[in-house]
Amino acid sequence: MTAVFLETPKRLVDVEIDGKAVRVPEGATLLEACRAEGIDTPTLCYLENLTPVNVCRVCVVEVEGSRTLVPACSRKAEPGMKVHTDSDRVKTSRKMVLEFLASSADISLASADVQRWVADYAVDPSRYGTPAADHEAGERDATRPGEHHAVVSGDSAATVRQPVKYDNDSYVRDYSRCILCYKCVEACGEDAQNTFAIAVAGRGFDARISTEYDVTLPGSACVYCGNCIGVCPTGALMPASEYNMRLEGTWDESAQTVTTTICPYCGVGCNLELHVQDNTIIKVTSPMDHDVTHGHLCVKGRFGFEFVQRRARE
């Protein structure tokens, strides 16, 4: 039998991570090398189905000979590299990043991994002061590049807290939870939907996720695919069904089941994960490891499930 190669074999690269020799395929990132060794490396802006944008800096590691800490999610492994993932410098940096984020945004709905990292690194956002007053509706949207604002008094921490944007029936935008990880921008752009309905506007602390000209979602280019929801790590973007249930106090993940099925709307074959509570579909996601969707869906696949609950003829 003749062996047939489906692709050119990759050269292996030898690096040293925390004193241990590691061999990874050429082109692999330091994050992939760390995960292959079972090293717990925090990430917030990184996702396997998106292009790394290096903005959260929680995954930084120390490379001998490098002046600064490097983002493991995008730095490629190079022969002879000596990497430290648990040095005092690395731990201090990760702790400060998490404290900065937690002091200005609400990360209480972030994943269990994030909550574990907060505990492991002894994150204490309160040391930056009590949060400043919430912004009025539209206040942050009205800021423009180039403006300089008075420094908030030393006993309070600047915040992104603001009223929830609820302008459509599909999903809500709670930017009080936004950490500006860029995942939604990437999913709306070249990495998935190519709609480009949202982008980052403003500079510095005034930077925020915005539609074109700050219009409402119904007035924007948004096609309601919900791929931004699927990649959001903090709950800043959430299906309206989930948001309403959380508001009513009926959301109970322990009472939910997840069933994988095939989307019935077309012949592409997208996999759907149906989240069911009390015999009712409450939201739909898609597995990232599915070779058709890679975690992404269209508006029908993600939001077109109401007909399942309406079996009686009206």
Side-chain angles (χ1 to χ4, degrees), residues 184-202:
C184 60
V185 176
E186 295 298 304
C188 188
E190 294 181 356
D191 282 350
Q193 193 61 32
N194 284 284
T195 297
F196 303 96
I198 55 176
V200 176

Side-chain angles (χ1 to χ4, degrees), residues 14-17 30 63 75-83:
D14 291 313
V15 297
E16 182 182 297
I17 301 180
L30 294 179
V63 176
R75 183 63 178 270
K76 297 289 193 283
E78 300 173 6
M81 262 187 175
K82 292 187 178 181
V83 182

Side-chain angles (χ1 to χ4, degrees), residues 99-106 125-135 152-162 176 205:
E99 285 182 337
F100 285 150
L101 294 175
S103 69
S104 60
D106 182 359
S126 64
R127 69 192 186 96
Y128 294 104
T130 55
D134 293 10
H135 294 274
V152 179
S153 59
D155 60 350
S156 63
T159 181
V160 300
R161 290 207 308 269
Q162 58 191 289
S176 296
F205 196 78

Side-chain angles (χ1 to χ4, degrees), residues 123-293:
V123 171
D124 180 19
S126 64
R127 69 192 186 96
Y128 294 104
T130 55
D134 293 10
H135 294 274
E136 298 292 335
E139 181 180 351
R140 281 183 58 81
D141 296 323
T143 57
R144 291 292 178 263
E147 297 180 1
H148 295 272
H149 309 285
V151 177
V152 179
S153 59
D155 60 350
S156 63
T159 181
V160 300
R161 290 207 308 269
Q162 58 191 289
V164 175
K165 296 178 183 294
Y166 201 164
D167 55 11
N168 66 93
D169 294 330
S170 297
Y171 68 96
V172 302
R173 297 175 288 160
D174 184 0
Y175 288 143
S176 296
R177 303 181 186 277
C178 180
I179 59 172
L180 224 60
C181 69
Y182 282 64
K183 284 182 178 179
C184 60
V185 176
E186 295 298 304
C188 188
E190 294 181 356
D191 282 350
Q193 193 61 32
N194 284 284
T195 297
F196 303 96
I198 55 176
V200 176
R203 296 174 182 172
F205 196 78
D206 288 335
R208 72 273 181 196
I209 304 298
S210 177
T211 57
E212 63 270 27
Y213 301 107
D214 300 326
V215 299
T216 60
L217 277 181
S220 73
C222 178
V223 296
Y224 299 97
C225 63
N227 290 327
C228 55
I229 302 172
V231 299
C232 180
T234 62
L237 301 170
M238 184 181 294
S241 54
E242 178 179 348
Y243 177 79
N244 291 334
M245 290 180 68
R246 287 184 181 275
L247 206 60
E248 297 165 357
T250 58
W251 181 265
D252 183 6
E253 292 189 10
S254 64
Q256 296 172 13
T257 58
V258 180
T259 302
T260 301
T261 186
I262 305 296
C263 182
Y265 280 106
C266 73
V268 172
C270 297
N271 269 19
L272 305 182
E273 294 174 327
L274 306 181
H275 298 250
V276 177
Q277 180 177 328
D278 296 328
N279 203 32
T280 300
I281 300 173
I282 51 179
K283 75 173 181 178
V284 176
T285 57
S286 185
M288 282 198 304
D289 59 355
H290 184 46
D291 57 3
V292 174
T293 63

Side-chain angles (χ1 to χ4, degrees), residues 68-116:
T68 62
L69 298 176
V70 303
C73 68
S74 61
R75 183 63 178 270
K76 297 289 193 283
E78 300 173 6
M81 262 187 175
K82 292 187 178 181
V83 182
H84 302 281
T85 69
D86 200 36
S87 65
D88 289 340
R89 188 182 180 193
V90 168
K91 289 188 289 188
T92 298
S93 178
R94 291 176 179 174
K95 176 180 179 178
M96 289 188 66
V97 168
L98 289 169
E99 285 182 337
F100 285 150
L101 294 175
S103 69
S104 60
D106 182 359
I107 62 172
S108 61
L109 292 184
S111 69
D113 283 336
V114 175
Q115 308 305 330
R116 175 167 53 80

